[in-house]
Amino acid sequence: MTCLLSEHFKAIIESVGENINRDGLKDTPKRAANAFQYLTKGYNQKLSEVINGAVFDSSISEMVVIKDIELYSLCEHHLLPFIGKCHIGYLPKNKVLGLSKFARIVDMFARRLQIQENMTCEIADAIMEAVDAKGVAVVVEAQHMCMMMRGVEKQNSSMTTSVMRGLMKENYTTREEFLQFIRR
């Protein structure tokens, strides 16, 4: 796969008028292919493998909140990065998830060609599936290079998406409690 991607990157570089044999570009197609494979490694991951058995019995029934999980993704429309953070809250129902698994779930979906709206839903649904939670809330805040580097070129723009599932959606007080946590 790397070899094929490398050839495509070589063609792209040449098509913009660059000399692929100049010192700075000789290994660029290979490096770009490796980077692109890394940035899209989420396609090769499955939720069960990411969780790797880190679901534990627990009697806790109060909200658990994980804030400021950094994320890096590629916009599926322009293949440009969007960079931000994800906040997750959930209401356990006899099961909790190992803390690092939240970041791994975020990365699994961020490391795909994405739009932020879909990624936010995918993260929420994966957590619901992983622990059969009573409710899940996910908020993603990101800056999109496709808005900043091209097109309208708005440097200070950002996008916020939220998805609520179960009691986080149905119960206003619970939802508001989560939103207060992430505002701190």
Side-chain angles (χ1 to χ4, degrees):
M1 177 65 116
T2 302
C3 187
L4 178 61
L5 278 173
S6 182
E7 288 301 313
H8 289 295
F9 277 110
K10 179 181 176 185
I12 290 168
I13 293 166
E14 289 176 329
S15 72
V16 299
E18 265 293 355
N19 174 2
I20 199 67
N21 295 313
R22 104 173 143 79
D23 278 346
L25 291 176
K26 282 182 184 173
D27 292 326
T28 297
K30 182 179 176 186
R31 286 192 301 265
N34 287 333
F36 197 74
Q37 281 188 303
Y38 180 80
L39 295 173
T40 59
K41 71 180 183 175
Y43 289 115
N44 299 316
Q45 296 178 302
K46 294 179 181 157
L47 183 59
S48 61
E49 295 167 356
V50 167
I51 291 172
N52 194 26
V55 176
F56 307 102
D57 291 335
S58 177
S59 60
I60 187 170
S61 61
E62 298 298 320
M63 187 180 305
V64 177
V65 176
I66 305 94
K67 289 177 29 174
D68 297 329
I69 302 168
E70 61 194 46
L71 66 89
Y72 307 92
S73 193
L74 292 174
C75 162
E76 67 185 36
H77 300 137
H78 304 98
L79 301 183
L80 290 173
F82 64 94
I83 300 164
K85 56 187 174 180
C86 179
H87 313 291
I88 299 168
Y90 76 111
L91 297 166
K93 181 170 62 175
N94 303 319
K95 302 279 184 197
V96 293
L97 186 60
L99 182 59
S100 69
K101 302 309 178 185
F102 293 96
R104 293 183 192 283
I105 289 170
V106 170
D107 283 347
M108 179 176 74
F109 293 110
R111 297 296 187 187
R112 298 175 181 185
L113 303 180
Q114 280 287 15
I115 61 170
Q116 182 175 328
E117 298 91 332
N118 290 348
M119 182 185 67
T120 307
C121 290
E122 291 169 340
I123 293 166
D125 292 341
I127 294 165
M128 283 292 283
E129 179 183 333
V131 293
D132 189 30
K134 290 184 275 186
V136 172
V138 176
V139 172
V140 174
E141 304 169 65
Q143 292 186 295
H144 293 250
M145 296 304 124
C146 57
M147 280 277 291
M148 298 169 73
M149 295 175 65
R150 55 156 302 282
V152 296
E153 297 185 43
K154 299 302 176 205
Q155 303 308 306
N156 297 308
S157 64
S158 66
M159 179 178 187
T160 302
T161 50
S162 70
V163 170
M164 308 289 168
R165 299 285 190 254
L167 288 178
M168 293 293 227
K169 182 175 185 173
E170 298 161 10
N171 187 304
Y172 173 80
T173 304
T174 303
R175 182 172 57 251
E176 195 55 37
E177 180 184 355
F178 166 73
L179 293 172
Q180 287 298 322
F181 271 126
I182 68 171
R183 288 183 193 128
R184 293 181 188 161

